[in-house]
Protein backbone atom coordinates (compact mmCIF):
# COMPACT_ATOMS: atom_id res chain seq x y z
CA UNK A 1 0.00 0.00 0.00
CA UNK A 2 2.69 2.46 1.04
CA UNK A 3 6.47 2.12 0.88
CA UNK A 4 9.00 4.45 2.48
CA UNK A 5 12.56 4.05 1.20
CA UNK A 6 15.44 5.65 3.10
CA UNK A 7 13.20 8.57 4.06
CA UNK A 8 14.81 11.55 5.75
CA UNK A 9 12.92 14.57 7.02
CA UNK A 10 14.60 17.74 8.19
CA UNK A 11 12.84 20.66 9.72
CA UNK A 12 14.59 23.95 9.16
CA UNK A 13 14.57 26.84 11.58
CA UNK A 14 16.63 29.54 9.96
CA UNK A 15 20.18 28.19 9.90
CA UNK A 16 19.40 25.23 12.15
CA UNK A 17 18.54 21.87 10.61
CA UNK A 18 16.57 19.43 12.79
CA UNK A 19 16.82 15.85 11.47
CA UNK A 20 13.46 14.49 12.64
CA UNK A 21 13.69 11.30 10.53
CA UNK A 22 17.18 10.05 9.71
CA UNK A 23 16.67 7.27 7.17
CA UNK A 24 13.49 5.22 7.59
CA UNK A 25 12.57 2.34 5.29
CA UNK A 26 9.20 0.74 5.96
CA UNK A 27 6.69 -1.11 3.76
CA UNK A 28 3.01 -1.07 4.72
CA UNK A 29 0.79 -3.82 3.29
CA UNK A 30 -2.97 -3.40 2.80
CA UNK A 31 -4.95 -4.59 5.80
CA UNK A 32 -2.26 -4.04 8.42
CA UNK A 33 -3.04 -3.06 12.01
CA UNK A 34 0.27 -1.49 12.92
CA UNK A 35 1.55 0.73 15.74
CA UNK A 36 4.51 3.09 15.59
CA UNK A 37 5.89 3.21 19.11
CA UNK A 38 8.63 5.30 20.63
CA UNK A 39 9.46 8.06 23.08
CA UNK A 40 8.09 11.57 22.88
CA UNK A 41 9.98 13.43 20.13
CA UNK A 42 11.20 10.28 18.36
CA UNK A 43 9.53 11.07 15.01
CA UNK A 44 6.16 9.25 15.04
CA UNK A 45 4.00 12.23 14.02
CA UNK A 46 6.52 13.19 11.35
CA UNK A 47 6.39 9.66 9.94
CA UNK A 48 2.58 9.51 9.97
CA UNK A 49 2.40 12.90 8.22
CA UNK A 50 4.54 11.51 5.40
CA UNK A 51 2.48 8.33 5.02
CA UNK A 52 -0.66 10.47 5.13
CA UNK A 53 0.66 12.70 2.31
CA UNK A 54 0.46 15.77 4.54
CA UNK A 55 4.14 16.40 4.03
CA UNK A 56 6.99 15.37 1.71
CA UNK A 57 10.36 13.86 2.62
CA UNK A 58 13.59 15.85 2.44
CA UNK A 59 15.19 12.85 0.74
CA UNK A 60 14.23 9.26 -0.01
CA UNK A 61 10.91 8.23 -1.51
CA UNK A 62 7.32 7.71 -0.42
CA UNK A 63 5.24 5.51 -2.69
CA UNK A 64 1.48 5.28 -2.31
CA UNK A 65 -0.25 2.50 -4.26
CA UNK A 66 2.81 2.29 -6.52
CA UNK A 67 3.02 6.01 -7.31
CA UNK A 68 5.91 8.20 -6.22
CA UNK A 69 4.18 10.97 -4.27
CA UNK A 70 6.75 13.53 -5.36
CA UNK A 71 5.48 13.05 -8.92
CA UNK A 72 1.87 13.80 -8.04
CA UNK A 73 0.37 17.26 -8.40
CA UNK A 74 -1.06 19.12 -5.41
CA UNK A 75 -4.54 18.41 -6.77
CA UNK A 76 -3.86 14.67 -7.05
CA UNK A 77 -2.39 14.55 -3.53
CA UNK A 78 -5.40 16.44 -2.19
CA UNK A 79 -7.82 14.06 -3.86
CA UNK A 80 -5.96 11.01 -2.52
CA UNK A 81 -6.00 12.41 1.03
CA UNK A 82 -9.65 13.41 0.92
CA UNK A 83 -10.90 10.12 -0.50
CA UNK A 84 -8.62 7.34 0.59
CA UNK A 85 -7.08 8.49 3.87
CA UNK A 86 -8.73 9.22 7.20
CA UNK A 87 -6.38 11.16 9.51
CA UNK A 88 -6.89 11.51 13.26
CA UNK A 89 -4.61 14.35 14.38
CA UNK A 90 -2.77 14.37 17.70
CA UNK A 91 -4.28 17.81 18.37
CA UNK A 92 -7.63 17.07 16.72
CA UNK A 93 -7.67 20.05 14.30
CA UNK A 94 -11.44 20.44 14.37
CA UNK A 95 -12.99 23.47 12.69
CA UNK A 96 -14.06 25.72 15.59
CA UNK A 97 -17.04 27.40 13.91
CA UNK A 98 -18.65 24.14 12.83
CA UNK A 99 -20.59 21.75 15.03
CA UNK A 100 -19.46 18.17 15.57
CA UNK A 101 -22.03 17.10 12.97
CA UNK A 102 -20.81 19.65 10.45
CA UNK A 103 -17.15 18.76 11.01
CA UNK A 104 -17.88 15.13 10.19
CA UNK A 105 -20.26 15.93 7.32
CA UNK A 106 -17.64 18.15 5.69
CA UNK A 107 -15.14 15.30 5.63
CA UNK A 108 -17.71 13.10 3.93
CA UNK A 109 -18.47 15.74 1.32
CA UNK A 110 -14.78 16.34 0.61
CA UNK A 111 -14.41 12.60 0.08
CA UNK A 112 -16.73 12.94 -2.90
CA UNK A 113 -19.64 11.28 -1.19
CA UNK A 114 -22.71 11.98 -3.30
CA UNK A 115 -25.30 9.75 -1.71
CA UNK A 116 -28.48 10.96 -0.10
CA UNK A 117 -27.58 9.08 3.07
CA UNK A 118 -25.02 11.60 4.33
CA UNK A 119 -27.07 12.55 7.39
CA UNK A 120 -27.44 8.88 8.35
CA UNK A 121 -23.74 8.14 7.91
CA UNK A 122 -22.64 11.17 9.96
CA UNK A 123 -25.14 10.36 12.71
CA UNK A 124 -23.96 6.76 12.78
CA UNK A 125 -20.27 7.72 12.95
CA UNK A 126 -20.88 10.09 15.89
CA UNK A 127 -23.15 7.61 17.68
CA UNK A 128 -20.51 4.91 17.36
CA UNK A 129 -18.06 7.05 19.35
CA UNK A 130 -20.71 7.85 21.96
CA UNK A 131 -21.51 11.40 20.84
CA UNK A 132 -25.00 10.80 19.46
CA UNK A 133 -26.52 13.37 21.86
CA UNK A 134 -23.83 16.00 21.36
CA UNK A 135 -23.77 16.41 17.58
CA UNK A 136 -24.79 20.05 17.54
CA UNK A 137 -22.08 21.18 19.94
CA UNK A 138 -19.14 23.17 18.71
CA UNK A 139 -15.65 21.93 19.71
CA UNK A 140 -15.28 24.55 22.47
CA UNK A 141 -18.45 23.16 24.05
CA UNK A 142 -17.03 19.66 24.35
CA UNK A 143 -14.65 18.00 26.79
CA UNK A 144 -11.12 17.04 25.65
CA UNK A 145 -12.06 13.42 25.13
CA UNK A 146 -15.27 14.37 23.31
CA UNK A 147 -13.27 16.54 20.89
CA UNK A 148 -10.92 13.63 20.30
CA UNK A 149 -13.90 11.45 19.45
CA UNK A 150 -15.22 13.96 16.91
CA UNK A 151 -11.80 13.81 15.25
CA UNK A 152 -12.08 10.01 15.20
CA UNK A 153 -15.61 10.01 13.75
CA UNK A 154 -14.51 12.48 11.08
CA UNK A 155 -11.72 10.15 9.95
CA UNK A 156 -13.83 6.99 9.98
CA UNK A 157 -17.08 8.27 8.41
CA UNK A 158 -15.80 8.06 4.85
CA UNK A 159 -14.83 4.39 5.27
CA UNK A 160 -11.29 5.07 4.08
CA UNK A 161 -8.80 2.55 2.70
CA UNK A 162 -6.16 3.87 5.13
CA UNK A 163 -6.72 5.28 8.64
CA UNK A 164 -3.83 7.10 10.29
CA UNK A 165 -4.43 7.63 14.00
CA UNK A 166 -1.96 9.82 15.91
CA UNK A 167 -2.46 8.99 19.60
CA UNK A 168 -6.24 8.53 19.22
CA UNK A 169 -6.88 7.44 22.82
CA UNK A 170 -4.67 9.98 24.64
CA UNK A 171 -7.65 11.80 26.18
CA UNK A 172 -9.98 8.85 26.63
CA UNK A 173 -10.75 6.68 29.65
CA UNK A 174 -10.03 2.99 29.08
CA UNK A 175 -13.68 2.01 28.58
CA UNK A 176 -14.28 4.59 25.86
CA UNK A 177 -10.90 3.88 24.28
CA UNK A 178 -11.60 0.16 24.19
CA UNK A 179 -14.96 0.71 22.48
CA UNK A 180 -13.31 2.77 19.78
CA UNK A 181 -10.52 0.26 19.33
CA UNK A 182 -13.17 -2.43 18.80
CA UNK A 183 -14.78 -0.37 16.03
CA UNK A 184 -11.40 0.05 14.36
CA UNK A 185 -10.61 -3.66 14.60
CA UNK A 186 -13.95 -4.47 13.03
CA UNK A 187 -13.29 -2.05 10.15
CA UNK A 188 -9.91 -3.72 9.72
CA UNK A 189 -10.95 -7.37 9.98
CA UNK A 190 -14.25 -7.14 8.09
CA UNK A 191 -13.64 -4.15 5.84
CA UNK A 192 -9.94 -4.62 5.16
CA UNK A 193 -9.05 -1.02 6.04
CA UNK A 194 -5.38 -0.45 6.90
CA UNK A 195 -4.75 1.11 10.32
CA UNK A 196 -1.56 2.88 11.36
CA UNK A 197 -1.29 4.20 14.90
CA UNK A 198 1.09 6.24 16.94
CA UNK A 199 0.42 5.57 20.58
CA UNK A 200 1.74 5.56 24.14
CA UNK A 201 -1.32 3.52 25.25
CA UNK A 202 -0.65 -0.10 26.23
CA UNK A 203 -4.20 -1.07 25.33
CA UNK A 204 -3.62 -0.10 21.70
CA UNK A 205 -0.17 -1.72 21.67
CA UNK A 206 -1.67 -5.01 22.81
CA UNK A 207 -3.99 -5.40 19.81
CA UNK A 208 -1.44 -4.38 17.19
CA UNK A 209 -0.30 -7.14 14.86
CA UNK A 210 2.91 -5.28 14.09
CA UNK A 211 4.87 -2.78 16.19
CA UNK A 212 7.51 -0.59 14.55
CA UNK A 213 9.76 0.82 17.27
CA UNK A 214 11.14 4.28 16.55
CA UNK A 215 13.87 6.04 18.46
CA UNK A 216 15.51 9.35 17.60
CA UNK A 217 14.37 9.35 13.97
CA UNK A 218 15.25 5.77 13.04
CA UNK A 219 13.54 2.38 13.22
CA UNK A 220 15.25 0.28 15.86
CA UNK A 221 12.97 -2.77 15.68
CA UNK A 222 10.17 -4.06 13.45
CA UNK A 223 8.13 -6.53 15.44
CA UNK A 224 5.68 -8.76 13.51
CA UNK A 225 3.31 -10.73 15.71
CA UNK A 226 1.29 -13.77 14.77
CA UNK A 227 -0.68 -13.55 18.00
CA UNK A 228 -1.38 -9.99 19.15
CA UNK B 1 -6.77 24.77 51.26
CA UNK B 2 -9.84 24.68 49.03
CA UNK B 3 -13.42 23.69 49.86
CA UNK B 4 -16.23 23.12 47.37
CA UNK B 5 -19.71 23.03 48.90
CA UNK B 6 -22.65 21.72 46.85
CA UNK B 7 -21.10 23.17 43.70
CA UNK B 8 -23.17 23.12 40.53
CA UNK B 9 -21.95 24.28 37.15
CA UNK B 10 -24.21 24.75 34.16
CA UNK B 11 -23.03 25.61 30.70
CA UNK B 12 -25.59 27.47 28.66
CA UNK B 13 -25.99 27.20 24.94
CA UNK B 14 -28.85 29.50 24.03
CA UNK B 15 -31.93 27.91 25.58
CA UNK B 16 -30.16 24.66 26.46
CA UNK B 17 -28.71 24.20 29.93
CA UNK B 18 -25.94 21.59 30.29
CA UNK B 19 -25.45 20.55 33.94
CA UNK B 20 -21.75 19.68 33.89
CA UNK B 21 -21.44 19.49 37.71
CA UNK B 22 -24.59 18.58 39.61
CA UNK B 23 -23.73 19.14 43.28
CA UNK B 24 -20.13 18.44 44.24
CA UNK B 25 -18.82 18.85 47.80
CA UNK B 26 -15.09 18.24 48.23
CA UNK B 27 -12.50 19.54 50.69
CA UNK B 28 -8.84 19.70 49.63
CA UNK B 29 -6.21 19.83 52.39
CA UNK B 30 -2.76 21.37 51.89
CA UNK B 31 -0.20 18.81 50.78
CA UNK B 32 -2.61 16.40 49.10
CA UNK B 33 -1.67 14.30 46.07
CA UNK B 34 -5.11 13.66 44.67
CA UNK B 35 -6.54 12.38 41.39
CA UNK B 36 -9.99 13.12 39.99
CA UNK B 37 -10.91 10.06 37.95
CA UNK B 38 -13.88 9.39 35.72
CA UNK B 39 -15.06 8.80 32.17
CA UNK B 40 -14.63 11.28 29.35
CA UNK B 41 -17.22 14.04 29.78
CA UNK B 42 -17.85 13.36 33.47
CA UNK B 43 -16.84 16.85 34.67
CA UNK B 44 -13.16 16.62 35.66
CA UNK B 45 -11.93 19.63 33.66
CA UNK B 46 -14.92 21.67 34.83
CA UNK B 47 -14.10 20.83 38.45
CA UNK B 48 -10.40 21.64 38.06
CA UNK B 49 -11.27 24.98 36.42
CA UNK B 50 -13.33 25.89 39.50
CA UNK B 51 -10.62 24.91 41.99
CA UNK B 52 -8.11 26.80 39.82
CA UNK B 53 -10.27 29.95 39.93
CA UNK B 54 -10.57 29.98 36.14
CA UNK B 55 -14.32 29.83 36.41
CA UNK B 56 -17.09 30.40 38.98
CA UNK B 57 -19.85 28.01 40.05
CA UNK B 58 -23.47 28.47 38.97
CA UNK B 59 -24.48 27.74 42.57
CA UNK B 60 -22.75 26.53 45.71
CA UNK B 61 -19.49 27.94 47.05
CA UNK B 62 -15.79 27.67 46.35
CA UNK B 63 -13.51 28.72 49.19
CA UNK B 64 -9.79 29.21 48.67
CA UNK B 65 -7.68 29.59 51.81
CA UNK B 66 -10.84 30.51 53.73
CA UNK B 67 -12.05 33.18 51.30
CA UNK B 68 -15.25 32.84 49.27
CA UNK B 69 -14.03 33.31 45.71
CA UNK B 70 -17.26 35.00 44.66
CA UNK B 71 -16.37 37.83 47.05
CA UNK B 72 -12.95 38.44 45.48
CA UNK B 73 -12.40 41.04 42.78
CA UNK B 74 -11.13 40.09 39.34
CA UNK B 75 -7.77 41.60 40.28
CA UNK B 76 -7.54 39.55 43.48
CA UNK B 77 -8.50 36.36 41.62
CA UNK B 78 -5.91 37.09 38.95
CA UNK B 79 -3.20 37.65 41.54
CA UNK B 80 -4.09 34.41 43.35
CA UNK B 81 -3.95 32.44 40.11
CA UNK B 82 -0.70 33.98 38.94
CA UNK B 83 1.14 33.54 42.22
CA UNK B 84 -0.25 30.55 44.05
CA UNK B 85 -1.61 28.23 41.37
CA UNK B 86 0.21 26.42 38.55
CA UNK B 87 -2.24 25.12 35.95
CA UNK B 88 -1.37 22.49 33.33
CA UNK B 89 -4.13 22.65 30.71
CA UNK B 90 -5.50 19.59 28.91
CA UNK B 91 -4.81 21.37 25.61
CA UNK B 92 -1.61 23.08 26.80
CA UNK B 93 -2.59 26.68 25.89
CA UNK B 94 0.94 27.76 25.07
CA UNK B 95 1.49 31.19 23.50
CA UNK B 96 2.31 30.43 19.85
CA UNK B 97 4.56 33.43 19.18
CA UNK B 98 6.78 32.82 22.20
CA UNK B 99 9.52 30.22 22.51
CA UNK B 100 9.37 27.50 25.16
CA UNK B 101 11.77 29.57 27.24
CA UNK B 102 9.67 32.72 26.90
CA UNK B 103 6.43 30.87 27.71
CA UNK B 104 7.92 29.64 30.98
CA UNK B 105 9.67 32.94 31.79
CA UNK B 106 6.40 34.84 31.34
CA UNK B 107 4.68 32.66 33.95
CA UNK B 108 7.50 33.40 36.38
CA UNK B 109 7.25 37.13 35.77
CA UNK B 110 3.47 37.12 36.19
CA UNK B 111 3.97 35.33 39.49
CA UNK B 112 5.74 38.45 40.73
CA UNK B 113 9.17 36.87 40.66
CA UNK B 114 11.68 39.67 41.00
CA UNK B 115 14.92 37.81 41.49
CA UNK B 116 17.88 37.98 39.16
CA UNK B 117 17.86 34.21 38.84
CA UNK B 118 14.94 34.01 36.41
CA UNK B 119 17.06 32.63 33.57
CA UNK B 120 18.43 29.89 35.84
CA UNK B 121 15.00 28.93 37.14
CA UNK B 122 13.45 28.75 33.66
CA UNK B 123 16.39 26.74 32.33
CA UNK B 124 16.14 24.36 35.27
CA UNK B 125 12.38 23.86 34.87
CA UNK B 126 12.76 23.03 31.16
CA UNK B 127 15.75 20.78 31.75
CA UNK B 128 13.84 18.86 34.40
CA UNK B 129 11.20 17.91 31.81
CA UNK B 130 13.88 16.94 29.28
CA UNK B 131 13.63 20.04 27.05
CA UNK B 132 16.97 21.63 27.93
CA UNK B 133 18.10 21.57 24.28
CA UNK B 134 14.80 22.77 22.83
CA UNK B 135 14.19 25.97 24.79
CA UNK B 136 14.28 28.31 21.82
CA UNK B 137 11.68 26.40 19.82
CA UNK B 138 8.21 27.76 19.36
CA UNK B 139 5.29 25.43 20.16
CA UNK B 140 4.64 24.65 16.47
CA UNK B 141 8.22 23.40 16.23
CA UNK B 142 7.74 20.83 18.98
CA UNK B 143 6.16 17.39 19.12
CA UNK B 144 2.87 16.89 20.99
CA UNK B 145 4.58 15.49 24.04
CA UNK B 146 7.21 18.24 24.00
CA UNK B 147 4.45 20.88 23.99
CA UNK B 148 2.84 19.13 26.92
CA UNK B 149 6.13 19.30 28.78
CA UNK B 150 6.48 23.05 28.18
CA UNK B 151 3.02 23.43 29.72
CA UNK B 152 4.22 21.39 32.71
CA UNK B 153 7.43 23.39 33.14
CA UNK B 154 5.45 26.62 32.94
CA UNK B 155 3.19 25.51 35.81
CA UNK B 156 6.00 24.23 38.02
CA UNK B 157 8.62 26.97 37.56
CA UNK B 158 7.01 29.36 40.03
CA UNK B 159 7.02 26.71 42.79
CA UNK B 160 3.31 27.18 43.41
CA UNK B 161 1.36 26.23 46.53
CA UNK B 162 -1.20 24.41 44.36
CA UNK B 163 -0.58 22.58 41.07
CA UNK B 164 -3.60 21.60 38.98
CA UNK B 165 -2.69 19.12 36.25
CA UNK B 166 -5.38 18.25 33.68
CA UNK B 167 -4.25 14.99 32.05
CA UNK B 168 -0.54 15.95 32.18
CA UNK B 169 0.77 12.65 30.79
CA UNK B 170 -1.74 12.12 27.96
CA UNK B 171 0.86 12.66 25.23
CA UNK B 172 3.88 11.21 27.00
CA UNK B 173 5.54 7.80 26.79
CA UNK B 174 5.66 6.00 30.13
CA UNK B 175 9.36 6.69 30.75
CA UNK B 176 8.98 10.46 30.29
CA UNK B 177 5.69 10.46 32.22
CA UNK B 178 7.28 8.61 35.11
CA UNK B 179 10.16 11.08 35.29
CA UNK B 180 7.74 13.98 35.49
CA UNK B 181 5.60 12.24 38.09
CA UNK B 182 8.74 11.78 40.21
CA UNK B 183 9.46 15.52 40.06
CA UNK B 184 5.91 16.25 41.15
CA UNK B 185 6.07 13.77 44.03
CA UNK B 186 9.29 15.37 45.19
CA UNK B 187 7.72 18.85 45.10
CA UNK B 188 4.82 17.43 47.09
CA UNK B 189 6.76 15.40 49.69
CA UNK B 190 9.62 17.84 50.23
CA UNK B 191 8.05 21.15 49.32
CA UNK B 192 4.53 20.52 50.56
CA UNK B 193 2.90 21.63 47.30
CA UNK B 194 -0.67 20.38 46.80
CA UNK B 195 -1.24 18.41 43.57
CA UNK B 196 -4.63 17.82 41.95
CA UNK B 197 -4.78 15.69 38.80
CA UNK B 198 -7.32 14.67 36.27
CA UNK B 199 -6.06 11.57 34.51
CA UNK B 200 -6.89 8.44 32.54
CA UNK B 201 -3.31 7.17 33.09
CA UNK B 202 -2.94 4.19 35.45
CA UNK B 203 0.60 5.21 36.29
CA UNK B 204 -0.64 8.48 37.81
CA UNK B 205 -3.57 6.76 39.53
CA UNK B 206 -1.17 4.37 41.24
CA UNK B 207 0.78 7.07 43.08
CA UNK B 208 -2.24 9.10 44.16
CA UNK B 209 -2.94 9.08 47.89
CA UNK B 210 -6.58 9.97 47.30
CA UNK B 211 -8.83 9.24 44.31
CA UNK B 212 -12.10 11.13 43.89
CA UNK B 213 -14.28 9.23 41.42
CA UNK B 214 -16.53 11.41 39.29
CA UNK B 215 -19.36 10.23 37.09
CA UNK B 216 -21.87 12.38 35.21
CA UNK B 217 -21.21 15.52 37.24
CA UNK B 218 -21.29 14.01 40.75
CA UNK B 219 -18.79 12.38 43.09
CA UNK B 220 -19.59 8.69 43.37
CA UNK B 221 -16.67 7.68 45.60
CA UNK B 222 -13.94 9.38 47.62
CA UNK B 223 -11.12 6.92 48.10
CA UNK B 224 -8.47 7.77 50.74
CA UNK B 225 -5.44 5.51 50.66
CA UNK B 226 -2.87 5.02 53.37
CA UNK B 227 -0.62 3.09 51.00
CA UNK B 228 -0.67 4.37 47.41
N1 LIG C 1 -18.65 25.28 26.94
C1 LIG C 1 -19.46 24.21 27.13
N2 LIG C 1 -20.76 24.28 26.75
C2 LIG C 1 -21.57 23.22 26.93
N3 LIG C 1 -21.21 22.05 27.49
C3 LIG C 1 -19.92 21.93 27.89
C4 LIG C 1 -18.98 22.99 27.72
N4 LIG C 1 -17.78 22.57 28.19
C5 LIG C 1 -17.97 21.31 28.63
N5 LIG C 1 -19.25 20.91 28.44
C6 LIG C 1 -19.84 19.63 28.84
O1 LIG C 1 -19.67 19.47 30.24
C7 LIG C 1 -19.41 18.09 30.54
C8 LIG C 1 -18.14 17.97 31.37
O2 LIG C 1 -17.03 18.40 30.61
P1 LIG C 1 -15.55 18.27 31.15
O3 LIG C 1 -14.66 18.96 30.15
O4 LIG C 1 -15.46 18.74 32.55
O5 LIG C 1 -15.31 16.69 31.12
P2 LIG C 1 -14.01 15.82 31.46
O6 LIG C 1 -14.34 14.93 32.58
O7 LIG C 1 -12.83 16.73 31.63
O8 LIG C 1 -13.82 14.95 30.14
P3 LIG C 1 -12.48 14.44 29.36
O9 LIG C 1 -11.98 13.26 30.15
O10 LIG C 1 -13.05 14.04 28.03
O11 LIG C 1 -11.52 15.57 29.28
C9 LIG C 1 -19.32 17.35 29.22
O12 LIG C 1 -20.51 16.63 29.00
C10 LIG C 1 -19.15 18.46 28.19
O13 LIG C 1 -19.76 18.13 26.97
N1 LIG D 1 8.26 22.37 12.79
C1 LIG D 1 9.31 21.83 13.43
N2 LIG D 1 10.50 22.48 13.47
C2 LIG D 1 11.56 21.94 14.09
N3 LIG D 1 11.56 20.76 14.69
C3 LIG D 1 10.41 20.06 14.71
C4 LIG D 1 9.22 20.55 14.10
N4 LIG D 1 8.22 19.64 14.30
C5 LIG D 1 8.76 18.63 15.01
N5 LIG D 1 10.07 18.88 15.25
C6 LIG D 1 11.01 17.99 15.96
O1 LIG D 1 11.06 16.75 15.26
C7 LIG D 1 11.19 15.66 16.19
C8 LIG D 1 10.09 14.64 15.95
O2 LIG D 1 8.84 15.20 16.21
P1 LIG D 1 7.50 14.34 16.16
O3 LIG D 1 6.36 15.30 16.33
O4 LIG D 1 7.47 13.49 14.95
O5 LIG D 1 7.66 13.43 17.46
P2 LIG D 1 6.65 12.34 18.09
O6 LIG D 1 7.34 11.03 18.09
O7 LIG D 1 5.32 12.43 17.43
O8 LIG D 1 6.53 12.84 19.60
P3 LIG D 1 5.27 12.82 20.65
O9 LIG D 1 5.17 11.43 21.16
O10 LIG D 1 5.75 13.78 21.70
O11 LIG D 1 4.06 13.29 19.94
C9 LIG D 1 11.10 16.27 17.59
O12 LIG D 1 12.40 16.32 18.15
C10 LIG D 1 10.55 17.65 17.37
O13 LIG D 1 11.08 18.60 18.29
MG1 LIG E 1 3.44 13.08 18.04
MG1 LIG F 1 -11.09 17.08 30.50
Amino acid sequence: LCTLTDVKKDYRMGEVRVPALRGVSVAIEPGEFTVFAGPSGSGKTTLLNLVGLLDVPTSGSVEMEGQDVLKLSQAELGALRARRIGFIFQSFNLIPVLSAFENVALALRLAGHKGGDRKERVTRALSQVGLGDLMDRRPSQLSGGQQQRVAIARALVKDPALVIADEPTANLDSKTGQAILDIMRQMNEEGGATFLFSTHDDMVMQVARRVVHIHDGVVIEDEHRTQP
Side-chain angles (χ1 to χ4, degrees), chain A:
Chain A
L1 181 65
C2 177
T3 306
L4 277 69
T5 308
D6 199 29
V7 159
K8 296 185 175 129
K9 177 67 188 179
D10 295 338
Y11 292 112
R12 305 212 72 101
M13 308 179 342
E15 286 301 314
V16 179
R17 186 177 66 88
V18 177
L21 292 179
R22 303 189 289 123
V24 171
S25 297
V26 155
I28 310 288
E29 305 294 324
E32 282 194 25
F33 203 84
T34 293
V35 161
F36 292 94
S40 170
S42 54
K44 304 178 297 297
T45 293
T46 304
L47 184 55
L48 292 183
N49 286 347
L50 290 173
V51 177
L53 312 181
L54 291 167
D55 201 357
V56 287
T58 307
S59 70
S61 72
V62 177
E63 276 190 7
M64 178 66 73
E65 295 179 323
Q67 306 182 73
D68 183 343
V69 303
L70 285 172
K71 297 206 167 59
L72 298 175
S73 70
Q74 282 300 327
E76 287 170 308
L77 282 172
L80 255 183
R81 281 198 305 261
R83 295 191 179 158
R84 307 277 285 153
I85 301 173
F87 207 111
I88 304 165
F89 293 90
Q90 189 167 2
S91 52
F92 317 156
N93 294 6
L94 301 178
I95 300 177
V97 298
L98 299 183
S99 70
F101 185 95
E102 291 163 340
N103 264 282
V104 178
L106 179 60
L108 198 53
R109 218 165 3 172
L110 290 175
H113 179 75
K114 295 273 185 303
D117 64 340
R118 189 183 304 152
K119 189 160 182 288
E120 284 73 18
R121 294 189 62 167
V122 172
T123 304
R124 183 162 165 269
L126 283 164
S127 305
Q128 275 193 315
V129 296
L131 299 179
D133 298 334
L134 305 180
M135 296 198 291
D136 297 331
R137 299 267 187 99
R138 267 173 286 118
S140 61
Q141 297 166 330
L142 293 171
S143 78
Q146 290 165 345
Q147 292 174 27
Q148 185 148 42
R149 286 183 269 160
V150 178
I152 292 168
R154 179 177 64 170
L156 302 186
V157 71
K158 55 190 178 182
D159 233 351
L162 171 62
V163 176
I164 300 179
D166 199 345
E167 306 204 25
T169 61
N171 285 279
L172 302 177
D173 54 282
S174 48
K175 187 156 169 282
T176 310
Q178 186 65 59
I180 282 167
L181 211 46
D182 289 343
I183 293 165
M184 292 176 167
R185 288 173 69 179
Q186 185 171 15
M187 287 174 71
N188 174 254
E189 289 167 10
E190 297 178 14
T194 307
F195 277 80
L196 303 179
F197 298 85
S198 147
T199 193
H200 297 301
D201 187 346
D202 272 339
M203 177 172 75
V204 180
M205 298 273 279
Q206 282 173 23
V207 297
R209 291 196 296 274
R210 175 186 184 190
V211 180
V212 179
H213 297 267
I214 302 199
H215 193 86
D216 214 8
V218 290
V219 173
I220 56 170
E221 189 188 345
D222 192 345
E223 184 192 346
H224 292 260
R225 304 168 170 180
T226 39
Q227 275 303 341

